[in-house]
């Protein structure tokens, strides 16, 4: 039986390496990858980060469930948030070292944003893995999207700058 902290460290390091590879491929390599996915308003970096997050969350949570079958949805969510918090701290610390004009604001906002995003995403994955209630999961997605649209309507300054 594997201790939970070994799983958390393993997937934190996997996420960290994936974040570094993503950064290098998109911003440091000679490959000419477009900023947006062609014919869509979706940024390439965001799509790749989403794919990294969802993949790591699913694999990590399945490993955690395999080790501790009676683990709760909240614990799965918190462990996943911890995985990405550790990975983001490592990644942004590396960026602070190798990037000359990297600011404290970028450091803190990067850690906070990805950790919060992965926490929300990990709740949905944990809910699906533990309960297998897809209908209720879709209802959560609908409610969350309505909430975001209402917030964007009442607080238009919160939208991301393009």
């Amino acid at each position: 039986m594997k201790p939970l902290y070994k799983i958390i460290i393993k997937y934190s390091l996997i996420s960290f390496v994936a974040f570094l590879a993503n950064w290098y491929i998109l911003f440091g390599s000679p490959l000419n990858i477009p900023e947006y996915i062609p014919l869509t308003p979706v940024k390439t970096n965001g799509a790749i980060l989403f794919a990294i997050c969802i993949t790591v969350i699913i694999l990590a949570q399945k490993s955690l469930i395999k080790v501790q079958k009676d683990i709760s949805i909240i614990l799965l969510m918190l462990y996943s948030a911890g995985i990405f918090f550790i990975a983001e701290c490592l990644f942004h610390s590396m960026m602070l070292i190798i990037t000359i004009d990297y600011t404290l604001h970028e450091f803190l906002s990067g850690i906070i944003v990805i950790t919060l995003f992965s926490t929300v995403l990990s709740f949905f994955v944990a809910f699906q893995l533990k309960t297998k209630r897809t209908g209720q999961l879709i209802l959560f997605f609908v409610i969350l999207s309505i909430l975001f649209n209402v917030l964007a309507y009442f607080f238009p300054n919160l939208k991301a700058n393009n």
Side-chain angles (χ1 to χ4, degrees), residues 55-75:
T55 303
V56 169
I57 288 170
I58 290 170
L59 294 174
Q61 287 187 0
K62 282 186 174 184
S63 295
L64 290 167
I65 290 171
K66 191 182 292 182
V67 169
Q68 189 176 349
K69 297 208 183 312
D70 61 339
I71 192 168
S72 70
I73 293 172
I74 299 298
L75 277 178

Side-chain angles (χ1 to χ4, degrees), residues 11-31:
Y11 286 103
S12 293
L13 292 175
I14 289 170
S15 299
F16 168 64
V17 170
F19 291 153
L20 275 179
N22 177 43
W23 178 81
Y24 176 74
I25 290 169
L26 292 178
F27 305 113
S29 75
L31 300 174

Side-chain angles (χ1 to χ4, degrees), residues 37-54:
I37 296 174
L39 306 174
T40 68
V42 179
K43 286 192 171 190
T44 307
N45 187 34
I48 294 172
L49 284 176
F50 178 79
I52 291 169
C53 287
I54 195 75

